[in-house]
């Protein structure tokens, strides 16, 4: 390999945004290089979506067997108390990660995109250097027509509670070598509740400290109530409206309660999960002087930045920081660069929180629709009236639909309940295809499924639900 090479599209970052852009550009015959500094698959496959869902599944299985061992199962199942070989659990999770990240490299190759390992530093809007990737082990210079920034995000560190020792981020929490007796989770958002719940199911004592007055504050309160109830039942202590102050000399977590009193909470480990921020530093991005929107790179509806032929996708381009949004943007940029006319205008981007029960939000909530001045029809159907939910021993939660009052066009869905993550597909498809309440009500839904609650929510909004 010479020390200077040229390409049409150069992608910095091999996460879901960057690798999908690489695959699609390769399919379209665009000469493409993807530079990845750590491991293909990015946060999502290595230290995010996939390993967290694997750990959540392992914890659920363990908790299920433990509940049978307690001898209280109404199903009449009893077993011996379970034991956990944590190293084996983590190895199983790592195996899934390895399979998927290996798959990304293979897919890039199959589609003709080149993957280069190394840390990219921007020279100018058409040139990047990758340390150690040159022929002689020196820097490789890559010149491109189009530069795509897909550098993702970094975890937010609290200055008064820096990472190190017992203070860990989600990355360490996903590869435990031993389980803490007591885990304190700072931040009752996505990561804090997904991983906090998993650790509780694995037998740890868990306390969640959340600054706002309720958990998952980004979602509406009614939707998160079943999650709060379940956490309480599971024995997770949730301290809302509490602010974190730092560590005491003895290593306890100092927090301030809503009345202004200072408490010291003992813990073996403290997981800080207070958000992520776009990764815009450490690779000379500032030299391009791109317009920013807050801390994120500002983009238009084709993911163009303020500099010609420089594009940005995924977490580095701001909220919502979700893998499927990064992938959709990566595909779009590849198509636009290849000459296709595309705009990023999804009718909705689904969001799923893999708590127990799971939460799904797609499109507008009743309050959001009202805030936009839209007159709505809304209705919910509880899983307590759904046979499949009963057979799964999970009748908590509901499906809610939001539709425009005048023409019944569906604007949003919200759901909380067991396995509702899988309903998100039906929700987003109905919105993307412009379905009305009558379309959903008139579709035959298979029985017995949780999906029947989707049809019943639509029927109920029309005033003639059948099972309630
Ligand atoms: P990333 O996946 O962060 O990839 C960016 C890549 O760029 C990284 O591999 C990085 O090494 C590389 N890079 C950065 N700078 C350079 C450089 N200068 N040179 C070379 N390489 C560079 N989202 C969901 O939708 N569902 C979930 O269930 C979910 N769970 C999550 C759980 C956890 C614990 C975490 C932390 C996140 C989770 N997310 C989830 C969020 C999701 O991981 C991100 O939204 C997604 O990975 C963003 O994709 P991306 O391509 O923008 O960036
Ligand atoms: P988050 O924004 O979901 O939650 C952070 C929480 O921390 C909020 O509730 C916030 O009020 C609270 N907080 C902030 N500062 C605090 C402080 N000083 N003390 C106590 N609480 C404080 O962020 P996250 O959980 O770190 O996740 C980061 C991002 O990763 C998410 O926003 C999401 O985009 C992505 N993610 C998605 C999924 C999923 O799709 N299932 C799962 C995990 C992560």
């Amino acid at each position: 390999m010479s020390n200077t090479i040229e390409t049409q599209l150069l992608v910095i970052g091999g996460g879901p945004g960057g690798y999908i852009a690489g695959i699609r550009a390769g399919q379209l015959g665009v000469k493409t290089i993807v530079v990845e500094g750590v491991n293909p698959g990015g946060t999502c496959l290595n230290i995010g979506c996939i390993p967290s869902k694997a750990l959540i599944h392992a914890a659920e299985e363990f908790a299920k067997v433990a509940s049978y061992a307690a001898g209280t199962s109404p199903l009449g199942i009893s077993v011996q108390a379970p034991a956990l070989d944590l190293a084996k659990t983590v190895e199983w999770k790592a195996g899934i990660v390895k399979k998927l990240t290996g798959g990304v490299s293979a897919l890039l190759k199959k589609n003709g995109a080149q993957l280069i390992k190394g840390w990219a530093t921007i020279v100018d809007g058409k040139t990047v250097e990758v340390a150690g990737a040159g022929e002689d082990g020196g820097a490789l210079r890559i010149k491109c027509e189009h530069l795509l920034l897909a550098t993702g995000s970094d975890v937010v560190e609290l200055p008064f509670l820096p990472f190190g020792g017992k203070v860990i981020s989600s990355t360490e929490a996903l590869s435990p070598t031993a389980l803490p007796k007591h885990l304190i989770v700072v931040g009752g958002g996505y990561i804090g509740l997904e991983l906090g719940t998993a650790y509780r199911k694995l037998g740890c004592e868990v306390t969640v400290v959340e600054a706002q007055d309720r958990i998952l504050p980004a979602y509406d309160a009614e939707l998160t109530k079943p999650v709060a109830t379940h956490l309480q039942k599971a024995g997770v202590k949730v301290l809302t409206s509490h602010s974190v102050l730092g560590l005491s000399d003895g290593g306890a977590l100092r927090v301030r309660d809503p009345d202004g009193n200072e408490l010291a909470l003992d813990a073996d480990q403290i997981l800080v999960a207070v958000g992520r921020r776009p990764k815009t530093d450490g690779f000379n991005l500032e030299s391009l002087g791109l317009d920013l929107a807050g801390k994120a790179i500002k983009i238009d509806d084709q993911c163009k930045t303020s500099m010609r032929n420089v594009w940005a996708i995924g977490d580095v381009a701001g909220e919502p920081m979700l893998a499927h949004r990064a992938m959709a943007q990566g595909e779009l940029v590849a198509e636009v660069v290849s000459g296709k006319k595309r705009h990023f205008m999804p009718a909705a981007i689904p969001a799923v929180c893999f708590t127990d029960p799971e939460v799904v939000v797609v499109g507008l909530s009743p309050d959001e629709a009202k805030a936009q001045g839209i007159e709505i029809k809304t209705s919910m159907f509880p899983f307590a009236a759904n046979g499949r939910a009963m057979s799964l021993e999970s009748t908590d939660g509901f499906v809610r639909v939001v539709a425009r009052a005048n023409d019944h066009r569906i604007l949003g869905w919200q759901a909380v309940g067991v396995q509702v993550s899988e309903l998100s597909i039906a929700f987003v498809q109905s919105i993307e295809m412009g379905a009305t309440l009558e379309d959903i009500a008139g579709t035959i839904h298979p029985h017995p499924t949780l999906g029947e609650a989707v049809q019943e929510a639509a029927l109920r909004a029309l005033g003639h639900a059948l099972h309630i």
Side-chain angles (χ1 to χ4, degrees), residues 381 383-393 395 447-450 452:
F381 186 83
F383 283 118
N386 175 279
R388 180 66 179 144
M390 283 180 211
S391 72
L392 292 171
E393 301 176 86
T395 49
H447 175 75
T449 60
L450 297 173
E452 287 172 283

PDB file of all heavy atoms in Angstrom, residues 381 383-393 395 447-450 452:
ATOM      1  N   PHE A 381     -55.239   0.392  25.184  1.00  0.00           N
ATOM      2  CA  PHE A 381     -55.793  -0.928  25.482  1.00  0.00           C
ATOM      3  C   PHE A 381     -54.837  -1.631  26.436  1.00  0.00           C
ATOM      4  O   PHE A 381     -53.635  -1.756  26.148  1.00  0.00           O
ATOM      5  CB  PHE A 381     -55.956  -1.745  24.195  1.00  0.00           C
ATOM      6  CG  PHE A 381     -56.668  -3.056  24.433  1.00  0.00           C
ATOM      7  CD1 PHE A 381     -58.052  -3.108  24.480  1.00  0.00           C
ATOM      8  CD2 PHE A 381     -55.950  -4.224  24.662  1.00  0.00           C
ATOM      9  CE1 PHE A 381     -58.727  -4.304  24.731  1.00  0.00           C
ATOM     10  CE2 PHE A 381     -56.608  -5.427  24.916  1.00  0.00           C
ATOM     11  CZ  PHE A 381     -58.000  -5.464  24.948  1.00  0.00           C
ATOM     12  N   PHE A 383     -52.887  -4.546  28.599  1.00  0.00           N
ATOM     13  CA  PHE A 383     -52.520  -5.970  28.430  1.00  0.00           C
ATOM     14  C   PHE A 383     -53.262  -6.865  29.424  1.00  0.00           C
ATOM     15  O   PHE A 383     -53.328  -8.076  29.237  1.00  0.00           O
ATOM     16  CB  PHE A 383     -51.008  -6.151  28.553  1.00  0.00           C
ATOM     17  CG  PHE A 383     -50.272  -5.716  27.322  1.00  0.00           C
ATOM     18  CD1 PHE A 383     -49.349  -4.675  27.367  1.00  0.00           C
ATOM     19  CD2 PHE A 383     -50.503  -6.335  26.100  1.00  0.00           C
ATOM     20  CE1 PHE A 383     -48.681  -4.261  26.221  1.00  0.00           C
ATOM     21  CE2 PHE A 383     -49.840  -5.925  24.941  1.00  0.00           C
ATOM     22  CZ  PHE A 383     -48.937  -4.881  25.007  1.00  0.00           C
ATOM     23  N   ALA A 384     -53.854  -6.248  30.461  1.00  0.00           N
ATOM     24  CA  ALA A 384     -54.631  -7.035  31.428  1.00  0.00           C
ATOM     25  C   ALA A 384     -55.817  -7.718  30.733  1.00  0.00           C
ATOM     26  O   ALA A 384     -56.348  -8.706  31.247  1.00  0.00           O
ATOM     27  CB  ALA A 384     -55.121  -6.130  32.549  1.00  0.00           C
ATOM     28  N   ALA A 385     -56.227  -7.192  29.557  1.00  0.00           N
ATOM     29  CA  ALA A 385     -57.355  -7.789  28.832  1.00  0.00           C
ATOM     30  C   ALA A 385     -56.872  -8.583  27.612  1.00  0.00           C
ATOM     31  O   ALA A 385     -57.642  -8.827  26.684  1.00  0.00           O
ATOM     32  CB  ALA A 385     -58.321  -6.686  28.406  1.00  0.00           C
ATOM     33  N   ASN A 386     -55.606  -8.959  27.588  1.00  0.00           N
ATOM     34  CA  ASN A 386     -55.043  -9.662  26.436  1.00  0.00           C
ATOM     35  C   ASN A 386     -54.620 -11.086  26.856  1.00  0.00           C
ATOM     36  O   ASN A 386     -53.821 -11.264  27.790  1.00  0.00           O
ATOM     37  CB  ASN A 386     -53.835  -8.855  25.920  1.00  0.00           C
ATOM     38  CG  ASN A 386     -53.087  -9.535  24.786  1.00  0.00           C
ATOM     39  OD1 ASN A 386     -52.275 -10.419  25.023  1.00  0.00           O
ATOM     40  ND2 ASN A 386     -53.352  -9.123  23.562  1.00  0.00           N
ATOM     41  N   GLY A 387     -55.179 -12.073  26.184  1.00  0.00           N
ATOM     42  CA  GLY A 387     -54.953 -13.469  26.564  1.00  0.00           C
ATOM     43  C   GLY A 387     -53.494 -13.884  26.486  1.00  0.00           C
ATOM     44  O   GLY A 387     -52.985 -14.612  27.341  1.00  0.00           O
ATOM     45  N   ARG A 388     -52.812 -13.436  25.452  1.00  0.00           N
ATOM     46  CA  ARG A 388     -51.400 -13.804  25.293  1.00  0.00           C
ATOM     47  C   ARG A 388     -50.559 -13.251  26.448  1.00  0.00           C
ATOM     48  O   ARG A 388     -49.685 -13.943  26.977  1.00  0.00           O
ATOM     49  CB  ARG A 388     -50.884 -13.269  23.950  1.00  0.00           C
ATOM     50  CG  ARG A 388     -49.442 -13.594  23.665  1.00  0.00           C
ATOM     51  CD  ARG A 388     -49.211 -15.078  23.484  1.00  0.00           C
ATOM     52  NE  ARG A 388     -47.829 -15.380  23.191  1.00  0.00           N
ATOM     53  CZ  ARG A 388     -47.190 -16.454  23.631  1.00  0.00           C
ATOM     54  NH1 ARG A 388     -47.820 -17.342  24.379  1.00  0.00           N
ATOM     55  NH2 ARG A 388     -45.946 -16.668  23.315  1.00  0.00           N
ATOM     56  N   ALA A 389     -50.851 -12.009  26.855  1.00  0.00           N
ATOM     57  CA  ALA A 389     -50.120 -11.407  27.973  1.00  0.00           C
ATOM     58  C   ALA A 389     -50.343 -12.231  29.242  1.00  0.00           C
ATOM     59  O   ALA A 389     -49.409 -12.474  30.008  1.00  0.00           O
ATOM     60  CB  ALA A 389     -50.565  -9.959  28.182  1.00  0.00           C
ATOM     61  N   MET A 390     -51.603 -12.707  29.421  1.00  0.00           N
ATOM     62  CA  MET A 390     -51.885 -13.539  30.607  1.00  0.00           C
ATOM     63  C   MET A 390     -51.071 -14.820  30.554  1.00  0.00           C
ATOM     64  O   MET A 390     -50.507 -15.253  31.555  1.00  0.00           O
ATOM     65  CB  MET A 390     -53.373 -13.901  30.666  1.00  0.00           C
ATOM     66  CG  MET A 390     -54.239 -12.783  31.149  1.00  0.00           C
ATOM     67  SD  MET A 390     -55.950 -13.339  31.165  1.00  0.00           S
ATOM     68  CE  MET A 390     -56.769 -11.809  30.841  1.00  0.00           C
ATOM     69  N   SER A 391     -50.986 -15.429  29.355  1.00  0.00           N
ATOM     70  CA  SER A 391     -50.257 -16.695  29.245  1.00  0.00           C
ATOM     71  C   SER A 391     -48.757 -16.489  29.412  1.00  0.00           C
ATOM     72  O   SER A 391     -48.021 -17.439  29.654  1.00  0.00           O
ATOM     73  CB  SER A 391     -50.569 -17.384  27.904  1.00  0.00           C
ATOM     74  OG  SER A 391     -49.941 -16.695  26.855  1.00  0.00           O
ATOM     75  N   LEU A 392     -48.305 -15.251  29.275  1.00  0.00           N
ATOM     76  CA  LEU A 392     -46.887 -14.933  29.501  1.00  0.00           C
ATOM     77  C   LEU A 392     -46.656 -14.418  30.928  1.00  0.00           C
ATOM     78  O   LEU A 392     -45.553 -13.960  31.240  1.00  0.00           O
ATOM     79  CB  LEU A 392     -46.415 -13.874  28.491  1.00  0.00           C
ATOM     80  CG  LEU A 392     -46.333 -14.326  27.032  1.00  0.00           C
ATOM     81  CD1 LEU A 392     -46.083 -13.134  26.115  1.00  0.00           C
ATOM     82  CD2 LEU A 392     -45.228 -15.358  26.848  1.00  0.00           C
ATOM     83  N   GLU A 393     -47.696 -14.447  31.748  1.00  0.00           N
ATOM     84  CA  GLU A 393     -47.650 -13.955  33.140  1.00  0.00           C
ATOM     85  C   GLU A 393     -47.257 -12.479  33.205  1.00  0.00           C
ATOM     86  O   GLU A 393     -46.582 -12.058  34.130  1.00  0.00           O
ATOM     87  CB  GLU A 393     -46.608 -14.721  33.967  1.00  0.00           C
ATOM     88  CG  GLU A 393     -46.780 -16.203  34.078  1.00  0.00           C
ATOM     89  CD  GLU A 393     -45.610 -16.794  34.836  1.00  0.00           C
ATOM     90  OE1 GLU A 393     -45.648 -16.828  36.067  1.00  0.00           O
ATOM     91  OE2 GLU A 393     -44.630 -17.198  34.182  1.00  0.00           O
ATOM     92  N   THR A 395     -49.222  -9.067  32.582  1.00  0.00           N
ATOM     93  CA  THR A 395     -50.389  -8.283  32.185  1.00  0.00           C
ATOM     94  C   THR A 395     -50.227  -6.792  32.479  1.00  0.00           C
ATOM     95  O   THR A 395     -51.147  -6.013  32.256  1.00  0.00           O
ATOM     96  CB  THR A 395     -51.647  -8.814  32.910  1.00  0.00           C
ATOM     97  OG1 THR A 395     -51.334  -8.924  34.298  1.00  0.00           O
ATOM     98  CG2 THR A 395     -52.074 -10.163  32.367  1.00  0.00           C
ATOM     99  N   HIS A 447     -54.335 -14.442  16.498  1.00  0.00           N
ATOM    100  CA  HIS A 447     -54.692 -14.735  17.892  1.00  0.00           C
ATOM    101  C   HIS A 447     -53.985 -16.009  18.340  1.00  0.00           C
ATOM    102  O   HIS A 447     -53.913 -16.959  17.569  1.00  0.00           O
ATOM    103  CB  HIS A 447     -56.209 -14.929  17.992  1.00  0.00           C
ATOM    104  CG  HIS A 447     -56.668 -15.344  19.353  1.00  0.00           C
ATOM    105  ND1 HIS A 447     -56.733 -14.460  20.407  1.00  0.00           N
ATOM    106  CD2 HIS A 447     -57.068 -16.546  19.838  1.00  0.00           C
ATOM    107  CE1 HIS A 447     -57.164 -15.096  21.471  1.00  0.00           C
ATOM    108  NE2 HIS A 447     -57.369 -16.370  21.170  1.00  0.00           N
ATOM    109  N   PRO A 448     -53.481 -16.145  19.505  1.00  0.00           N
ATOM    110  CA  PRO A 448     -53.375 -15.113  20.525  1.00  0.00           C
ATOM    111  C   PRO A 448     -52.007 -14.439  20.456  1.00  0.00           C
ATOM    112  O   PRO A 448     -50.977 -15.097  20.557  1.00  0.00           O
ATOM    113  CB  PRO A 448     -53.498 -15.930  21.816  1.00  0.00           C
ATOM    114  CG  PRO A 448     -52.885 -17.266  21.478  1.00  0.00           C
ATOM    115  CD  PRO A 448     -53.043 -17.465  19.998  1.00  0.00           C
ATOM    116  N   THR A 449     -52.008 -13.130  20.287  1.00  0.00           N
ATOM    117  CA  THR A 449     -50.742 -12.379  20.256  1.00  0.00           C
ATOM    118  C   THR A 449     -50.899 -11.083  21.049  1.00  0.00           C
ATOM    119  O   THR A 449     -52.018 -10.592  21.233  1.00  0.00           O
ATOM    120  CB  THR A 449     -50.338 -11.995  18.816  1.00  0.00           C
ATOM    121  OG1 THR A 449     -51.377 -11.180  18.255  1.00  0.00           O
ATOM    122  CG2 THR A 449     -50.089 -13.199  17.930  1.00  0.00           C
ATOM    123  N   LEU A 450     -49.746 -10.540  21.415  1.00  0.00           N
ATOM    124  CA  LEU A 450     -49.749  -9.224  22.063  1.00  0.00           C
ATOM    125  C   LEU A 450     -50.222  -8.178  21.057  1.00  0.00           C
ATOM    126  O   LEU A 450     -50.784  -7.150  21.417  1.00  0.00           O
ATOM    127  CB  LEU A 450     -48.338  -8.878  22.553  1.00  0.00           C
ATOM    128  CG  LEU A 450     -47.747  -9.808  23.617  1.00  0.00           C
ATOM    129  CD1 LEU A 450     -46.295  -9.455  23.888  1.00  0.00           C
ATOM    130  CD2 LEU A 450     -48.550  -9.744  24.911  1.00  0.00           C
ATOM    131  N   GLU A 452     -52.669  -8.162  19.218  1.00  0.00           N
ATOM    132  CA  GLU A 452     -54.114  -7.898  19.254  1.00  0.00           C
ATOM    133  C   GLU A 452     -54.422  -6.610  20.030  1.00  0.00           C
ATOM    134  O   GLU A 452     -55.434  -5.954  19.772  1.00  0.00           O
ATOM    135  CB  GLU A 452     -54.847  -9.080  19.892  1.00  0.00           C
ATOM    136  CG  GLU A 452     -54.903 -10.297  18.981  1.00  0.00           C
ATOM    137  CD  GLU A 452     -55.467 -11.513  19.713  1.00  0.00           C
ATOM    138  OE1 GLU A 452     -54.724 -12.123  20.508  1.00  0.00           O
ATOM    139  OE2 GLU A 452     -56.635 -11.831  19.494  1.00  0.00           O
TER     140      GLU A 452
END
